[in-house]
Each structure stands twice: as C-alpha cells, then as structure tokens.
Amino acid sequence: MNDLDHAIALLRQGELVAIPTETVYGLAADAANPEAVAKIFALKGRPSDHPLIVHIAGTAQLDDWAIDIPADARRLAEAFWPGPLTLILKRQPHVSDSVTGGQGTVGLRAPAHPLAHALLQQFGGGLAAPSANRFGHVSPTTAQHVRDEFGAECPLVLDGGASPVGVESTIVSLVDETPKLLRPGGIAREAIEAVLGRTLEHHQSNKTAKIRASGLLDSHYAPRTPLVLGTLPALLDDATRRMAAGERVLILHRTPIDALPAGAHHQQLAADAAHFARELYALLRRHDHQHDVLLMEAPPQTPEWLAVNDRLKRAATARLE
C-alpha cells in the first residue's frame, strides 16, 4: 500500500492524517465524521468553537457544502481554485457543528498542492484540515515540522516537500452583500478585488467581522520564544540593553547592518515579500528555544506585505518604534 492509499484508508477509518498544501501542512480528518473531527481539536488543543476549513477537490463540490452561493463566490472559485483562497459561505444543513463551530457558515478551499489535490479527488469528500500544529503555535511548512510537533500522535504524515507559499490561505466572507477580507494570505487582496470589481472590507478580528474564522485571534502563529518587532535602530538599542543584562539575543533584519552590538547574533532576511513569507515559519521554528528573545525588523506597511504583517502582528509579544 502506498502512502496515498494508506492516507485514504486512515481517513475513512476516522483517523487523522497530516497533509501538505501549498500554504502550510494541515491536520486532516473526514469533515463528514464528527468523531474524526473531534480528534483534530483534541490533538491540537484547539477551542471547540473555533471553526475549521473544509478542503475539497474543486468547484464541483461547492454545492455539497454550501447553499445560496452568490455569483461572486463562483467567480472567485473559478479564478483562484485550486489555490490559497478560502471562501466563507452559508452552510448546507448537513454540515456538522464540529466543523463550523456552531455557526451557520462554512469555510471552503480547494488546495493546489498536487498531493493534496490527488488525495481529495480519490477520497471523494471534504477534509477538515487546520494547520498541523498545537493551537496558537507556529504553523508547519514541512513534514518534519509536523513530526516535531506531534511525533507518534499523528498516525501518518504525507511528505510533499516544503510548502511553496508559506503562509495560510486568504479568507473572504461572502455571506452578505458586502464581501469581507477576514484574513490576508496567499492570494493578494488586490487580485481578489480585481475579479470582484469592488473593494473588500478588511476585518482583522472576529469581533468586528461578527463571524469566527481561522487565524483571527489576537495571539496566534507564535513561537515559544518572545518575538519583538520594531524599527532596526530601536531593536539595536534594545539588543544592547538586553545583552548587557545577560540575555541571548537574535536580531532578524532585512536592512543591512553597519555595526552590530558586540557579540550579537543576527540573520539577514529576504528582501521581497513572497520569499520572506515562504521562509517565515521555518525561520521561527528553527530559532525557537535557541535564544531568550527574537528581535525582528518590521516589514514595510505596503500591500504586498499584508499577509506577513498580519501573521507577525499576532505572533509578536511587543513592538518597538
């Protein structure tokens, strides 16, 4: 039995399988099996009212999970699926509360990773699959990250290489007349607006959006080691102060540094947003527990950095100006 057949057998038995997607690795269970979905929450330590995204093979399965689907949703699915876009729609009555967090909506996405796509086509149904990590921790972008996180607690990890996007999907709500950007991600806001022909309302919390969706909590995507964002001059001053107090400091910067504080460890990061996003979670995982604090130069506040800035805002413990 090959890994794909093994994965399908486990999923049909109500077990969990970690799967690669183009965004991050997901912890998958049969979305039509509430007992299987409950295992996701138990393993992740995820609050039971926090909804999951259902992964499907493509647009042909939209009507299996959603009702009253607006034309805008079908246009976006045709434009960006398979790909890193999640649509929030009104749910079919049969969709389990365990997937939706008890809401009247469901999040749907068709991943572009060839291994995940093949799995979904052969499985035939939907897979609930949040990121394959402990709740609130840094998302995994390799199979080894998942093994490091769960060990033998996850029955199977399908290895599809490193996730090429590196941050989670963009989430757009289409449950009322006004399309809403709930989470920036792998599809740029401007690209979505170009297809819709209108502006997205951007909501950065569950409270303002009045809908619960993945990744909208104030603290999320966080390493165990404190992460501090700021301007490079402020971080260099902070590094000097911390090192004088005996702390182990790592400076993560995009701008070249002429003079480092004596003895400081540092790493220069990618200058472009796509490369930065692809490496971000692996970087945070690699340096977690190796230092007392991670000091990261904040990226620019420009559209191409929207998803990265969203993740860093939720991962950071402080910001220095």
Side-chain angles (χ1 to χ4, degrees), residues 10-11 14-18 27-29 36-37 39-40 43 153-156:
L10 286 171
L11 290 165
E15 298 298 334
L16 304 180
V17 174
L27 187 62
V37 172
K39 293 179 181 180
I40 294 176
L43 185 53
E153 292 181 276
C154 183
L156 176 65

Side-chain angles (χ1 to χ4, degrees), residues 1-320:
M1 181 184 292
N2 62 35
D3 283 349
L4 199 59
D5 290 339
H6 187 196
I8 291 168
L10 286 171
L11 290 165
R12 288 178 176 158
Q13 293 164 17
E15 298 298 334
L16 304 180
V17 174
I19 64 172
T21 81
E22 72 278 20
T23 58
V24 301
Y25 274 65
L27 187 62
D30 182 355
N33 183 339
E35 290 77 19
V37 172
K39 293 179 181 180
I40 294 176
F41 288 92
L43 185 53
K44 283 179 61 73
R46 185 183 179 100
S48 61
D49 66 346
H50 205 57
L52 305 176
I53 293 170
V54 176
H55 294 64
I56 57 178
T59 55
Q61 289 180 293
L62 260 175
D63 294 277
D64 295 341
W65 296 90
I67 59 173
D68 301 333
I69 301 171
D72 280 346
R74 298 191 189 276
R75 277 196 290 271
L76 290 178
E78 290 293 339
F80 299 114
W81 283 3
L85 175 67
T86 295
L87 301 177
I88 305 293
L89 301 166
K90 294 178 183 177
R91 69 186 236 189
Q92 283 280 6
H94 68 79
V95 180
S96 170
D97 284 346
S98 63
V99 169
T100 68
Q103 299 180 109
T105 57
V106 63
L108 298 171
R109 169 166 117 78
H113 193 287
L115 190 53
H117 185 67
L119 175 68
L120 284 160
Q121 284 188 311
Q122 292 185 41
F123 182 69
L127 296 177
S131 56
N133 55 281
R134 307 288 181 185
F135 184 68
H137 194 210
V138 179
S139 300
T141 54
T142 69
Q144 189 58 49
H145 292 164
V146 182
R147 298 186 189 105
D148 292 343
E149 195 87 8
F150 294 128
E153 292 181 276
C154 183
L156 176 65
V157 181
L158 287 179
D159 192 342
S163 299
V165 174
V167 293
E168 296 78 3
S169 62
T170 304
I171 301 180
V172 174
S173 172
L174 294 160
V175 297
D176 57 32
E177 296 301 316
T178 305
K180 298 175 177 63
L181 176 63
L182 302 185
R183 181 178 72 184
I187 301 292
R189 174 181 184 170
E190 294 75 17
I192 295 167
E193 290 175 339
V195 171
L196 293 178
R198 51 180 167 155
T199 302
L200 291 168
E201 283 188 5
H202 186 184
H203 291 267
Q204 301 181 53
S205 72
N206 289 308
K207 184 176 180 181
T208 62
K210 298 181 180 178
I211 185 172
R212 295 191 306 281
S214 296
L216 293 191
L217 299 179
D218 290 340
S219 178
H220 215 60
Y221 315 111
R224 310 302 186 205
T225 303
L227 173 68
V228 177
L229 296 178
T231 62
L232 190 54
L235 294 181
L236 292 173
D237 288 345
D238 191 50
T240 301
R241 178 184 62 80
R242 289 176 181 273
M243 291 173 62
E247 291 189 55
R248 298 170 302 160
V249 171
L250 176 67
I251 303 168
L252 300 164
H253 59 100
R254 295 172 51 257
T255 306
I257 299 176
D258 293 328
L260 275 167
H265 292 92
H266 74 108
Q267 181 175 336
Q268 186 154 356
L269 308 179
D272 67 284
H275 191 183
F276 191 105
R278 189 160 54 246
E279 296 184 343
L280 174 60
Y281 289 154
L283 173 85
L284 293 178
R285 283 179 168 271
R286 183 164 62 250
H287 293 298
D288 209 359
H289 301 298
Q290 302 300 311
H291 308 271
D292 294 316
V293 65
L294 306 176
L295 303 178
M296 180 180 285
E297 182 184 7
Q301 296 292 321
T302 52
E304 65 269 27
W305 290 91
L306 183 62
V308 166
N309 277 312
D310 174 82
R311 303 309 188 272
L312 289 176
K313 178 188 71 174
R314 301 178 198 279
T317 55
R319 188 178 183 104
L320 301 176

